[in-house]
Amino acid sequence: QYWINEFTTSLGIGVFHSGIEVYGREFAYGGHPYPFSGIFEITPGDATELGDTFKFKEAIVLGSTDFAEEDIERIVEELGKEYKGNAYHLMHKNCNHFSSALSEILCGREIPRWVNRLAYFSSCIPFLQNCLPKEWLTPAALQTSVSQELQGELEEAEDAAATASLPSTSSSSNSVLPRSSHHAKR
């Protein structure tokens, strides 16, 4: 989605992912359809671990912390109770909200406002959210979309198996069907 920023940065908004790097580790937050922590760790500044739609922009020094590395582990674990994967929402509880909360705890300073400005504007102007596919907003909507897509493909495969004129085929259980992880990357 970084390509969107080529058009929107001049307006002072963009779609940005953020994480917090501390002690050589980067912590970030993302959505999934399950009720446990959505916080994950990646190699600092390595956007390739996030997928093709991400491009590293810059690192911004926010300050320093007095917390020890062991304290960071406990803080991140505690934040995981609030930042569950199924609580993710692109506009109301995203990676930038998490980064700002963690930064506030660690060094008493939030991330720069421009990083999450698009989410802020969309919460002030609700129709903006309606312009986006629901699958972008929450992991539950994404999961529903993927499930519906898989159900459609399963029905197509069953229809194809039923109409096939191969007498040795007795069941569709031998059919190879796509796994949901392949579709979640779209």
Side-chain angles (χ1 to χ4, degrees):
Q1 294 175 355
Y2 67 87
W3 58 269
I4 293 172
N5 296 337
E6 293 175 15
F7 303 104
T8 60
T9 350
S10 60
L11 301 172
I13 57 174
V15 179
F16 301 108
H17 171 76
S18 66
I20 297 295
E21 180 180 348
V22 59
Y23 293 113
R25 302 163 69 190
E26 184 173 334
F27 297 97
Y29 170 64
H32 56 70
Y34 307 106
F36 54 80
S37 178
I39 299 171
F40 59 94
E41 185 177 337
I42 62 171
T43 306
D46 188 0
T48 60
E49 291 181 30
L50 297 171
D52 295 339
T53 59
F54 293 86
K55 181 178 173 184
F56 182 75
K57 179 177 172 46
E58 65 183 309
I60 301 169
V61 177
L62 298 171
S64 59
T65 188
D66 293 329
F67 288 103
E69 196 167 351
E70 301 79 39
D71 297 328
I72 305 296
E73 289 285 337
R74 285 190 289 277
I75 291 167
V76 167
E77 187 176 324
E78 195 61 33
L79 278 173
K81 294 175 184 174
E82 179 183 349
Y83 288 90
K84 295 180 180 179
N86 64 348
Y88 181 92
H89 189 281
L90 184 63
M91 302 302 171
H92 304 295
K93 185 174 255 181
N94 63 37
C95 59
N96 302 318
H97 293 108
F98 163 75
S99 293
S100 203
L102 181 57
S103 179
E104 180 84 33
I105 292 168
L106 297 181
C107 65
R109 187 172 171 203
E110 294 182 349
I111 65 172
R113 294 194 188 277
W114 61 264
V115 175
N116 209 22
R117 189 171 287 147
L118 184 59
Y120 171 75
F121 281 153
S122 75
S123 65
C124 297
I125 308 169
F127 80 86
L128 286 178
Q129 279 187 52
N130 297 335
C131 297
L132 297 174
K134 286 186 170 71
E135 298 84 40
W136 290 13
L137 297 174
T138 66
L142 175 61
Q143 185 66 24
T144 301
S145 174
V146 168
S147 296
Q148 289 171 347
E149 189 173 330
L150 287 175
Q151 183 62 36
E153 289 180 10
L154 178 61
E155 289 169 3
E156 287 175 17
E158 288 172 345
D159 290 344
T163 59
S165 60
L166 299 174
S168 62
T169 305
S170 61
S171 167
S172 65
S173 63
N174 293 333
S175 299
V176 177
L177 298 176
R179 296 168 50 128
S180 62
S181 61
H182 292 257
H183 295 281
K185 292 181 181 178
R186 285 188 183 166

